Amino acid sequence: MDVGFLGLGLMGRPMALNLARAGTPLVVWNRSPDRCDAPRAAGAKVAASPAEVFERARVVMLMLADEAATDAVLERGTPRFAEKVAGHVVVHMGTTAPEYSAELETAVRDAGGAYVEAPVSGSRGPAEAGQLVAMLAGEPEAVAEVRPLLRPMCHETVVCGAVPSASLTKLAVNLFLITMVSGLAEAVHFANRHDLDPEVFLHVLDSGPMASAVSRTKTAKLLGRDFSPQAAIADVLKNNRLIAQAARRSGTASPLLDVCLALFGETLALGHAESDMAAVIHAIEARTSPPPRQGP
């Protein structure tokens, strides 16, 4: 049978494209039909509705914006939910609250389906290159069925255990990413304010132990003032809030994350919702005092 893919946003479209280009028999759907054009050109079939995807595919991957979008597409809470998911493997690849994922697993299994939690680590660039990392959780048989299907999208798939361990792992990874990029933006701002040569700064950073694919990509964006989105501020702020909520529920201290939560909220308020997460530098700049006047 075909493999289904629902949700062709910033991440979903390149992921579906890689599946189609690899020869996966794919059927896709997106709320905005024009997002289906590229997957169609790569060989995917385009369904008129999510229900049609479930009719044609046993394994259906969801890369949707949030909990509300997922429930709406699955028609959870209505008799049509069971009609859709019974006998299917639902693969939840978006980032949602861990407790939501656990509740969705229960609902899918009660309706006669199987459920795999499979959030991914990586932004638009790795998604386009098929270099994402997938974290998998669920019943071993379902995970074993889904895991090979992810190869065109992911260079690594890691089994994390039972639901919602994959979601929690994703949040832990994103905590590091958010604080790292915020610190990098602050370092670039510090260098700019002290009139350091950006090429020298970049050379030292790239030559040292802090260098990484993320530091190289984001430093180039910061120095070039290129805020075209790889991971948009609005999405990062959503992730930040999810991590903060999970920390609060478990009584876990998150002092660095809390600072970043404020900074990304300020960046959003400044009008940069669709800009790359590197645009957090705007909030740091807005907090900075004007340079002291020179001379008399």
Side-chain angles (χ1 to χ4, degrees):
M1 294 183 70
D2 291 336
V3 172
F5 200 102
L6 304 177
L8 302 175
L10 189 68
M11 293 287 290
R13 184 161 64 170
M15 291 165 68
L17 272 171
N18 282 328
L19 286 173
R21 289 167 178 165
T24 304
L26 190 67
V27 55
V28 303
W29 175 87
N30 191 71
R31 193 175 302 278
S32 302
D34 61 299
R35 302 288 295 179
C36 299
D37 292 345
R40 179 192 284 114
K45 307 176 188 73
V46 176
S49 66
E52 183 182 345
V53 174
F54 278 93
E55 289 170 4
R56 301 175 69 163
R58 167 175 162 75
V59 176
V60 179
M61 302 177 185
L62 313 178
M63 194 61 180
L64 299 164
D66 51 27
E67 291 93 338
T70 301
D71 283 345
V73 165
L74 294 177
E75 297 183 273
R76 188 174 169 209
T78 76
R80 291 180 293 277
F81 174 78
E83 294 171 7
K84 281 181 174 177
V85 306
H88 294 79
V89 182
V90 176
V91 186
H92 177 39
M93 304 191 75
T95 303
T96 58
E99 60 271 18
Y100 170 83
S101 183
E103 292 168 1
L104 183 58
E105 180 195 35
T106 299
V108 170
R109 293 179 65 183
D110 287 349
Y115 180 84
V116 174
E117 187 180 58
V120 294
S121 180
S123 57
R124 187 185 66 183
E128 291 172 345
Q131 293 294 304
L132 297 169
V133 177
M135 293 146 277
L136 305 177
E139 290 297 314
E141 296 82 1
V143 169
E145 181 176 355
V146 168
R147 196 175 188 183
L149 298 175
L150 304 181
R151 287 178 188 144
M153 301 181 288
C154 305
H155 79 94
E156 188 74 43
T157 56
V158 181
V159 178
C160 299
V163 175
S165 58
S167 285
L168 287 166
T169 302
K170 170 69 183 290
L171 294 185
V173 169
N174 278 2
L175 194 160
F176 179 41
L177 174 65
I178 289 167
T179 55
M180 180 173 70
V181 173
S182 298
L184 181 62
E186 187 170 328
V188 169
H189 178 59
F190 180 91
N192 289 340
R193 287 278 293 187
H194 289 84
D195 296 321
L196 300 182
D197 185 326
E199 295 302 321
V200 172
F201 171 78
L202 181 59
H203 180 73
V204 173
L205 182 60
D206 280 351
S207 301
M210 288 89 73
S212 67
V214 171
S215 73
R216 293 187 181 99
T217 300
K218 298 306 183 188
T219 305
K221 292 180 80 64
L222 287 160
L223 293 176
R225 307 295 288 186
D226 169 20
F227 299 118
S228 56
Q230 294 177 320
I233 288 289
D235 294 330
V236 175
L237 181 58
K238 182 195 85 169
N239 277 260
N240 204 320
R241 287 171 174 155
L242 288 174
I243 302 165
Q245 290 165 6
R248 304 291 181 271
R249 290 190 183 97
S250 61
T252 303
S254 56
L256 297 180
L257 182 82
D258 294 343
V259 171
C260 296
L261 180 60
L263 286 171
F264 279 92
E266 291 164 24
T267 309
L268 186 77
L270 289 168
H272 302 288
E274 302 304 317
S275 298
D276 186 75
M277 67 185 299
V280 71
I281 196 172
H282 291 297
I284 299 169
E285 290 169 344
R287 289 190 182 194
T288 299
S289 301
R293 293 180 61 185
Q294 302 294 323

